[in-house]
Amino acid sequence: MSGPVHCIVDDGIALVTVDNPPVNVTSQAVRQGLVRALDKAEAAGVARVVLTGAGKTFIAGADAREFAAPPAAPHLPDIIRRIEDFPVPVVAAINGTALGGGLEVALACRARIAAPAATLGLPEVTLGVVPGAGGTQRLPRLIGLGPALSLIGEGRVIGAGEAQGLGLVDTVAADPVTLARTFSIPSRPATGALPAPPPDPEAVEAARKQAARRSPGQIAPLKAIDLVDASTRLPLDDGLVVERETFLALKTSDQAAALRHVFFAERAAMAQGKGGGAEISSAVVVGGGTMGASIAYALAGLGISVALVESDAAGVERARANVARLYADAVKRGKTTAEAAEAEQATRLSFHEGYGVLPPADFAIEAVFEDMEVKRQVFAALDAALPARTILATNTSYLDVNRVGEGVRHPERFLGLHFFSPAHVMKLLEVIRARTTSAETLATALRLAARLKKIPILAGVCDGFIGNRILTRYRQTCDIMLMEGALPAQVDTALRGFGMAMGPYEVQDLSGLDIAYANRKRLGWRTKEGFRYIPIADRIVEETGRLGRKTGAGWYDYDGGKASPSTLIDRIVVEEAARAGITRRTFSDDEIVTRAISSMIEEGFRILEEGIAARAADIDLVMIHGYAFPRWRGGPMHYAGRIGLPEILRRIEAFAAEDPLSWGIPELLRHAAREGLGPDDLKGQA
């Protein structure tokens, strides 16, 4: 049998194999293949059907690309019902990943045997939908209400051992296909015929609260929990109808479209690190503070030998302590053992005072103070101490990468790698292509990013690259609203309501007001022509010494760590408006959000127009993974597309008419709105 599903009948057993690389999604062709395979098995009068997958995947779920189109026959729920009602037992030999529709297929089988490395789950809520082929109704009947609420409501993916403990699989075997041929079928009824689980209102309410904390603003997790709860009250057929209706309604929603957009953008970004480039086996990290220690720890975790450099003996000891704390935390969280942590530190990490006796290295990165001359001095020293083959990288957040690397012997081996703190946790990595960076150097950096399991985003050189450039513009827009009538707590509340994890003033209090203050001084905002300077934040730093949480006060007052609006800050805001001759007015939360997010979008179009980013989706990934833009809104560029670029253009034109110093119309936005293009149709030159 040709196509993505093969059926071989031998000795009274039909072996049905789904072979639809790379991940065996249940595309229409696969669904048609399953129908033909079941027809063949039934016509042959076999005594058993063994269902498995090719490669490392059983079935990885639906083809998300089909979600935007009307459902096409044959439908997966019908195939699953046929498997459950098949005249002979169907046994799932779960050779690898079984997710979404793949697990729903397995649930319909009379027995499930998993390979030790198999993973199972119903993660549909992470794509803005719910299981649509029986998962919310069959899984609770098989493993109970509480575990099903956790797996479905959180979209968790579990290993074979945990699945066996829950009763989701019957056994774990090294060769599930061979065992499936002779495995004794359990005497229980088919999954759909099992009794409904007893109601548990407390467990359901706890799951709802957990979903609200984990996924604020998202619809699908709460809908999924409602469906699992319904399995305790509804007959199977009625529950399946409600589930399918919910799935079909959600799959065309804005949230589902946004989450699919992010999913595919992440896959495209991470695929850049596959193939090409050289393998890194040794590295030098300069600077043992929070960032440098975290980078060194992450590299050592890959098996890379890391030499960590500090300028003096005291710095070396601080660096050693910072790294040791990261290992201690990993032990505490169960990520490693104390013995393994000690061995890794002893064998993969060395600490050096100065550059005199550094070992040769494939790669070197600095993570020192954000000062141009300091960084240039570091690279002069590294260039002299390391072989010509060593790739040199700066971790600058804002500075001109071209200037930082001026003077190195082999400029083609120089680039920027902007890690986000904490570097061993945050998935985003801005890969900054300097004017001289070679394609081979970029390929090696992307390969390293893939090993680190980062989402690498290529960016050109400008102040702040993609993320910090947009962040600077966003904060400036919010500061203007303070001058014109808003207050910090209102701005933060409005943007949290939009879905941001924190408002801009809460974020500044967390990171420290001195960081943004130093950047404003570097940029010369106070004297910059054609720029609307807002003095509020500078006054706070210079006159009050309030730097945020680390000093116990910033934009907010803190009592026992709890933030409350500050009358002092509100007074400074009002004073500065009066000093500028501004008559303050009332802002609604909607207007705050519209202006703040529109400024992100405008800056995003300029970044794309200038070729700093290659794709609108790259801008979205930077803002989601680096700056906590709500994933379920898809990033600012995708969000702009859902609103409609003509409407975005109209809004920005109106803002520019009232404040031409702060707003302008990117030509790329005008062009896209005029031609009916969306953000994904636009390409930058990065």
Side-chain angles (χ1 to χ4, degrees):
M1 182 181 292
S2 61
V5 179
H6 314 302
C7 180
I8 299 173
V9 176
D10 179 45
D11 197 24
I13 294 175
L15 175 62
V16 177
T17 304
V18 178
D19 187 5
N20 184 33
V23 291
N24 289 354
V25 293
T26 55
S27 62
Q28 184 183 21
V30 167
R31 298 194 300 274
Q32 291 170 335
L34 284 171
V35 169
R36 288 194 295 269
L38 293 171
D39 288 345
K40 179 178 178 179
E42 189 166 4
V46 299
R48 173 174 297 197
V49 175
V50 175
L51 178 59
T52 192
K56 297 181 179 180
T57 307
F58 175 67
I59 302 172
D63 186 346
R65 285 179 285 263
E66 293 183 356
F67 281 14
H75 304 298
L76 189 60
D78 298 332
I79 296 170
I80 286 173
R81 176 55 67 91
R82 185 176 179 193
I83 289 172
E84 194 165 58
D85 295 341
F86 207 65
V88 299
V90 180
V91 180
I94 304 173
N95 55 300
T97 304
L99 300 178
L103 183 55
E104 288 174 307
V105 167
L107 285 170
C109 295
R110 293 301 304 275
R112 286 159 293 281
I113 303 166
T119 55
L120 305 91
L122 294 171
E124 283 86 347
V125 295
T126 65
L127 288 177
V129 294
V130 296
T136 67
Q137 304 305 297
R138 289 189 175 91
L139 187 65
R141 286 173 162 83
L142 183 65
I143 68 172
L145 184 68
L149 285 168
S150 173
L151 286 178
I152 295 174
E154 299 173 27
R156 286 204 305 124
V157 175
I158 61 175
E162 184 176 353
Q164 184 178 14
L166 290 173
L168 177 52
V169 299
D170 295 290
T171 191
V172 176
D175 184 354
V177 172
T178 298
L179 180 58
R181 293 176 175 275
T182 58
F183 188 71
S184 178
I185 303 299
S187 59
R188 62 173 182 260
T191 308
L194 291 170
D200 189 343
E202 291 184 2
V204 172
E205 183 58 28
R208 288 194 178 109
K209 289 179 179 178
Q210 172 79 342
R213 285 193 300 269
R214 287 174 55 91
S215 310
Q218 293 193 41
I219 299 168
L222 295 174
K223 293 285 189 183
I225 290 166
D226 288 343
L227 289 167
V228 174
D229 182 33
S231 74
T232 67
R233 301 183 305 275
L234 298 179
L236 178 70
D237 288 346
D238 293 351
L240 293 175
V241 168
V242 176
E243 179 195 74
R244 190 66 177 171
E245 289 173 347
T246 304
F247 167 78
L248 293 174
L250 286 176
K251 80 167 190 167
T252 56
S253 68
D254 282 350
Q255 289 194 8
L259 291 165
R260 287 197 303 275
H261 164 74
V262 177
F263 172 75
F264 286 117
E266 287 171 342
R267 282 178 53 178
M270 297 181 79
Q272 296 175 107
K274 296 179 179 178
E279 192 73 270
I280 298 294
S281 61
S282 56
V284 170
V285 177
V286 181
T290 300
M291 176 62 78
S294 186
I295 293 172
Y297 170 80
L299 294 172
L302 299 178
I304 294 172
S305 299
V306 181
L308 203 157
V309 180
E310 265 291 353
S311 58
D312 55 32
V316 168
E317 290 310 308
R318 285 193 299 271
R320 198 185 300 274
N322 287 339
V323 170
R325 274 193 292 272
L326 293 172
Y327 279 100
D329 183 61
V331 172
K332 183 178 179 181
R333 291 183 291 114
K335 300 292 185 182
T336 188
T337 64
E339 294 76 17
E342 184 177 348
E344 188 168 297
Q345 290 177 82
T347 59
R348 296 183 187 166
L349 284 154
S350 61
F351 297 83
H352 301 262
E353 180 182 345
Y355 305 86
V357 290
L358 288 181
D362 301 322
F363 167 80
I365 184 167
E366 62 77 19
V368 300
F369 186 66
E370 194 77 346
D371 178 272
M372 178 65 73
E373 289 311 310
V374 171
K375 289 181 184 291
R376 286 167 65 94
Q377 290 168 16
V378 166
F379 283 108
L382 286 173
D383 201 25
L386 294 172
R389 63 179 172 80
T390 304
I391 290 176
L392 303 178
T394 173
N395 183 52
T396 181
S397 304
Y398 289 95
L399 300 180
D400 185 334
V401 171
N402 292 319
R403 286 194 58 211
V404 173
E406 280 177 349
V408 299
R409 284 177 297 166
H410 295 278
E412 72 278 4
R413 288 189 167 270
F414 183 83
L415 79 164
L417 289 178
H418 178 207
F419 286 84
F420 287 71
S421 187
H424 64 293
V425 174
M426 295 288 280
K427 295 190 71 174
L428 179 64
L429 178 65
E430 284 183 313
V431 180
I432 316 303
R433 187 190 60 236
R435 188 166 44 240
T436 56
T437 307
S438 70
E440 177 67 17
T441 296
L442 278 179
T444 298
L446 292 170
R447 183 169 179 170
L448 177 61
R451 289 177 66 192
L452 288 165
K453 295 184 169 54
K454 301 293 185 188
I455 295 173
I457 302 298
L458 285 172
V461 175
C462 67
D463 198 279
F465 316 122
I466 297 172
N468 279 333
R469 176 170 164 177
I470 291 176
L471 177 66
T472 298
R473 174 65 195 285
Y474 164 69
R475 286 177 172 175
Q476 169 72 359
T477 301
C478 293
D479 287 352
I480 290 170
M481 287 190 281
L482 293 190
M483 288 288 279
E484 295 183 348
L487 291 172
Q490 183 193 5
V491 172
D492 285 345
T493 298
L495 286 158
R496 282 201 313 274
F498 173 76
M500 301 294 288
M502 300 174 73
Y505 302 107
E506 295 169 316
V507 172
Q508 286 184 62
D509 270 4
L510 187 63
S511 61
L513 275 67
D514 50 331
I515 296 174
Y517 174 75
N519 197 47
R520 289 191 297 273
K521 286 185 67 177
R522 179 180 64 83
L523 294 170
W525 277 12
R526 294 188 188 190
T527 57
K528 186 177 179 181
E529 291 186 10
F531 177 79
R532 190 173 176 186
Y533 170 63
I534 307 297
I536 297 168
D538 288 349
R539 272 194 66 186
I540 294 172
V541 173
E542 294 168 354
E543 297 179 14
T544 73
R546 296 163 64 110
L547 302 181
R549 287 182 176 270
K550 61 188 174 185
T551 60
W555 288 98
Y556 292 88
D557 294 331
Y558 293 92
D559 182 9
K562 185 177 181 181
S564 60
S566 169
T567 55
L568 171 62
I569 299 303
D570 290 352
R571 177 175 61 77
I572 290 174
V573 169
V574 173
E575 285 176 359
E576 286 303 320
R579 185 179 298 176
I582 294 172
T583 301
R584 289 172 62 79
R585 65 179 179 86
T586 299
F587 279 80
S588 69
D589 285 1
D590 284 346
E591 184 179 1
I592 289 170
V593 168
T594 297
R595 286 176 177 265
I597 304 305
S598 294
S599 71
M600 285 188 178
I601 293 166
E602 184 198 319
E603 201 65 30
F605 270 93
R606 293 195 187 283
I607 286 169
L608 201 59
E609 187 174 73
E610 295 168 18
I612 301 302
R615 294 178 293 270
D618 288 346
I619 297 170
D620 289 334
L621 291 180
V622 168
M623 299 313 296
I624 288 167
H625 286 285
Y627 302 87
F629 194 96
R631 184 183 181 92
W632 52 272
R633 291 197 186 272
M637 303 300 282
H638 176 85
Y639 179 70
R642 298 296 286 189
I643 291 174
L645 297 190
E647 170 61 18
I648 295 294
L649 176 61
R650 186 198 65 76
R651 292 177 184 180
I652 295 177
E653 285 176 335
F655 298 150
E658 69 181 44
D659 184 0
L661 282 180
S662 305
W663 295 88
I665 317 299
E667 284 304 314
L668 186 62
L669 174 57
R670 287 191 194 276
H671 168 75
R674 182 176 62 247
E675 299 297 325
L677 303 175
D680 290 339
D681 299 318
L682 307 174
K683 304 296 181 185
Q685 300 302 312

